[in-house]
DNA sequence: GTCTATAGCTGGATAGAC
DNA sequence: GTCTATCCAGCTATAGAC
């Protein structure tokens, strides 16, 4: 993971343009889907002429790949690891907190990722088959050790990981629905805190790590 | 909810064609997105000429609306209610079982719904603002009564509903990822049973309804 | 590096024969 | 009710002036 997308000086005109385009593209791909997002709409959102966008990225497919790469880098930076040094309670607490933070701070990344998976993960199959599968197996092993040592209840570790993923990502992917149901325009300051507390509390109890 | 999409005789040629087209459209809309799915591709999947598809549905937008309506009807039939007559344990058990069943038996419906929400819920805002918001408030009130009566732990009822939705739907929406990680081609017979058991067990414990 | 113009193609939708 | 042919809008991508 963490493959640098490009490697020019950070302040350069190219670097800045690419960043603006990618942010615009991410937004458009989420709202309109791959086919629905047009190079023109991406350019408009980025505030650049269409030709410039194609000058930097050659073609639409390349833009999409760059957006996906950005998404995976974000994922990796946000929750690349589980801290297993201090036992299951701390590990789960930190893991949930990191995932919730990701969902509230980078909902776009979560949404792009979710859409890719729902649509069959054509571009992410390789990522899932290698990196992600490995990741899940490693972390599941950690949990299994704690279970075998009687440090936590016997809950299927893989299903536990899926549960933590789904409950945390939900606040990013289903943002629109959650806000509509709660009759609110945006998440507020302490929504993230409350969600983190609720999920940590609930999941620790589910793992038999809390009264 | 439960608005009949059309009302001709079930055996009629029109009824059969419409059903075939909608099933094909659902598949295509998931795989390619709204813009990416072409009337031609829907027709091909349905095994009909393009003109016939447009003969039945007038235009692409109408096909999509019909698919969404079908999705909401499925949602409604599957988990339209929570049985509150026998206390929180039975209510939660039945609710989880119904949602998991939905996810394994109608993953397409869940996927179409998820994509709509992720993309901003343009077509479902009204459904969420009225029906869904009301539904959540009613059910939350049930949980609140049980909490006030000391029949279950004090967990935020709305967040609990979101948690049950997210964990159950995950097995439909992220099907591809789950199967890839577990290195399997398809879900098998007892996957549904195991997931139901795991989630029921875990969530009841989270609610303080199990040792 | 920026932008205009346009070639070339795809796809939605209709007309009209059967 | 079924299907072919076709029109036209909109999109990607490139050529080339500045």
């Amino acid at each position: 993971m963490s493959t640098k997308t490009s490697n020019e000086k950070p302040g350069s005109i190219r670097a800045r343009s690419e960043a603006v385009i990618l942010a615009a593209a991410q937004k458009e791909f989420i709202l309109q889907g791959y086919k629905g997002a047009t190079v023109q709409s991406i350019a408009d959102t980025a505030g650049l002429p269409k030709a410039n966008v194609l000058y930097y990225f050659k073609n639409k497919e390349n833009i999409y790949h760059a957006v996906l790469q950005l998404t995976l880098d974000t994922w990796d930076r946000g929750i690349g690891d589980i801290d297993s040094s201090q036992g299951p309670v701390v590990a789960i607490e930190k893991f949930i907190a990191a995932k919730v933070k990701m969902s509230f701070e980078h909902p776009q990344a979560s949404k792009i990722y979710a859409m890719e998976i729902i649509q069959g993960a054509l571009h992410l199959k390789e990522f899932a088959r290698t990196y992600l599968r490995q990741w899940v197996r490693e972390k599941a092993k950690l949990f299994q050790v704690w279970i075998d040592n009687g440090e936590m209840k016997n809950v299927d570790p893989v299903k536990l990981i899926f549960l933590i993923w789904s409950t945390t990502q939900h606040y990013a992917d289903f943002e629109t629905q959650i806000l509509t149901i709660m009759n609110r325009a945006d998440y507020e300051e302490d929504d993230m805190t409350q969600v983190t507390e609720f999920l940590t509390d609930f999941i620790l109890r589910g793992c038999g790590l809390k009264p």
Side-chain angles (χ1 to χ4, degrees), chain A:
Chain A
M1 270 307 94
S2 232
T3 322
K4 258 289 201 67
T5 308
S6 48
N7 36 4
E8 64 276 343
K9 302 171 199 151
S12 74
I13 182 152
R14 175 169 214 111
R16 255 182 305 125
S17 291
E18 282 183 0
V20 172
I21 292 166
L22 285 182
Q26 195 178 43
K27 204 179 292 184
E28 285 301 308
F29 283 133
I30 291 169
L31 289 172
Q32 315 291 341
Y34 179 75
K35 272 275 188 178
T38 67
V39 178
Q40 185 67 65
S41 73
I42 294 171
D44 291 348
T45 306
L48 290 168
K50 177 169 77 157
N52 289 29
V53 172
L54 286 164
Y55 168 72
Y56 285 115
F57 285 94
K58 195 86 180 162
N59 59 44
K60 189 177 167 178
E61 182 72 9
N62 279 352
I63 306 177
Y64 188 65
H65 276 126
V67 168
L68 276 189
Q69 191 55 56
L70 202 67
T71 305
L72 296 187
D73 288 352
T74 307
W75 193 92
D76 194 51
R77 258 182 291 113
I79 48 149
D81 224 334
I82 285 189
D83 173 11
S84 64
S85 63
Q86 300 169 75
V89 174
V90 174
I92 291 173
E93 276 174 357
K94 284 197 181 174
F95 182 36
I96 292 173
K99 281 287 296 178
V100 173
K101 193 159 185 277
M102 274 268 304
S103 286
F104 278 87
E105 290 180 0
H106 303 285
Q108 308 90 346
S110 188
K111 286 177 185 175
I112 285 275
Y113 187 85
M115 287 181 64
E116 255 296 314
I117 301 289
I118 292 173
Q119 301 204 334
L122 281 190
H123 303 83
L124 295 178
K125 268 256 158 67
E126 215 37 43
F127 169 76
R129 210 192 320 265
T130 56
Y131 182 86
L132 208 55
R133 188 188 285 167
Q134 191 54 34
W135 191 94
V136 170
R137 290 196 178 162
E138 268 174 34
K139 306 318 170 197
K141 226 174 266 175
L142 289 180
F143 286 120
Q144 194 57 54
V145 170
W146 286 323
I147 291 168
D148 294 341
N149 288 346
E151 293 183 69
M152 60 181 279
K153 243 200 176 307
N154 182 20
V155 289
D156 182 326
V158 173
K159 290 197 181 66
L160 174 59
I161 291 171
F162 291 161
L163 182 140
I164 295 176
W165 280 354
S166 60
T167 49
T168 51
Q169 287 165 194
H170 189 71
Y171 287 88
D173 303 340
F174 284 69
E175 187 185 12
T176 314
Q177 170 171 285
I178 292 174
L179 289 171
T180 304
I181 286 176
M182 310 205 313
N183 198 19
R184 296 246 305 273
D186 292 289
Y187 285 136
E188 278 164 31
E189 288 287 323
D190 49 33
D191 281 324
M192 194 178 99
T193 318
Q194 282 187 27
V195 168
T196 307
E197 270 177 32
F198 169 83
L199 288 177
T200 307
D201 190 62
F202 195 94
I203 292 170
L204 283 180
R205 203 170 321 114
C207 293
L209 293 166
K210 234 187 169 171

